[in-house]
Amino acid sequence: NQNQETTIILVMNTLRNLYIKYNYYIASFILLLIGALIYILYRPQNLLIFDMLDKMGLSNEVDSIRSSFIGIKLPLFVVNCLPAGLWTASYLIAMYCNTKFHRRKTRLMLSLPLPMSAIVLEFMQLFGWCPGTFDWYDLLCYVIPIIIFIKSI
């Protein structure tokens, strides 16, 4: 029957689209998690995140995990710059899914303000207008996911 075939095709396409969509969300979550792990395991403990973890009662767990990784050294780029790039990519992948049925202009307007703010803040650091240290690699880690996102929509 033609109706049954059409229904089956519709269901299969819906399942395929859900599978693809959730794979993007899973990839987004994994990038977010990897960035967070690098940050928590290797960044100095005087950062705000460690105060938050302490208030959540997780300091002992964090210290225990950090001590397990003490012998594993990562390049400075991975420790200092890559997490921000992973978080930017994670956010843009999620926005890619969340804005999929909008026009390109709308997708850009909804998705780009947050990562563009990071670029503005990086330049503000260059001019001493906000705390932090300007880094070309940080800038690169923000710009690459943005370029990929813009080209993909």
Side-chain angles (χ1 to χ4, degrees):
N1 181 343
Q2 183 71 23
N3 272 347
Q4 288 176 331
E5 288 176 19
T6 304
T7 303
I8 290 171
I9 290 171
L10 210 92
V11 168
M12 293 301 287
N13 282 339
T14 302
L15 290 174
R16 184 180 146 275
N17 288 340
L18 283 172
Y19 175 77
I20 291 168
K21 180 179 178 178
Y22 286 107
N23 278 343
Y24 279 117
Y25 282 123
I26 290 168
S28 175
F29 178 75
I30 289 170
L31 292 176
L32 184 71
L33 186 62
I34 292 170
L37 284 173
I38 292 169
Y39 212 79
I40 289 169
L41 293 175
Y42 291 99
R43 294 299 300 259
Q45 287 186 293
N46 63 347
L47 299 172
L48 178 62
I49 185 71
F50 293 102
D51 288 338
M52 292 168 49
L53 291 169
D54 185 41
K55 288 178 182 161
M56 294 168 60
L58 297 172
S59 287
N60 290 337
E61 289 80 0
V62 169
D63 290 342
S64 174
I65 294 169
R66 282 176 68 100
S67 67
S68 301
F69 284 82
I70 216 155
I72 302 171
K73 301 292 180 201
L74 295 178
L76 287 178
F77 167 79
V78 172
V79 173
N80 294 325
C81 305
L82 188 60
L86 293 172
W87 294 332
T88 303
S90 170
Y91 168 78
L92 289 172
I93 289 170
M95 291 304 290
Y96 179 85
C97 292
N98 292 338
T99 63
K100 192 159 188 107
F101 298 107
H102 293 280
R103 289 179 287 129
R104 185 175 198 275
K105 183 178 178 181
T106 304
R107 293 178 87 179
L108 292 172
M109 288 181 1
L110 290 171
S111 303
L112 292 182
L114 185 62
M116 294 304 289
S117 313
I119 291 172
V120 168
L121 284 170
E122 197 64 36
F123 279 109
M124 289 174 69
Q125 290 174 358
L126 175 66
F127 298 114
W129 297 341
C130 74
T133 305
F134 174 81
D135 190 316
W136 286 106
Y137 291 116
D138 283 344
L139 202 57
L140 191 63
C141 285
Y142 295 131
V143 169
I144 290 173
I146 292 171
I147 291 170
I148 292 170
F149 175 78
I150 290 170
K151 288 185 173 281
S152 69
I153 60 169

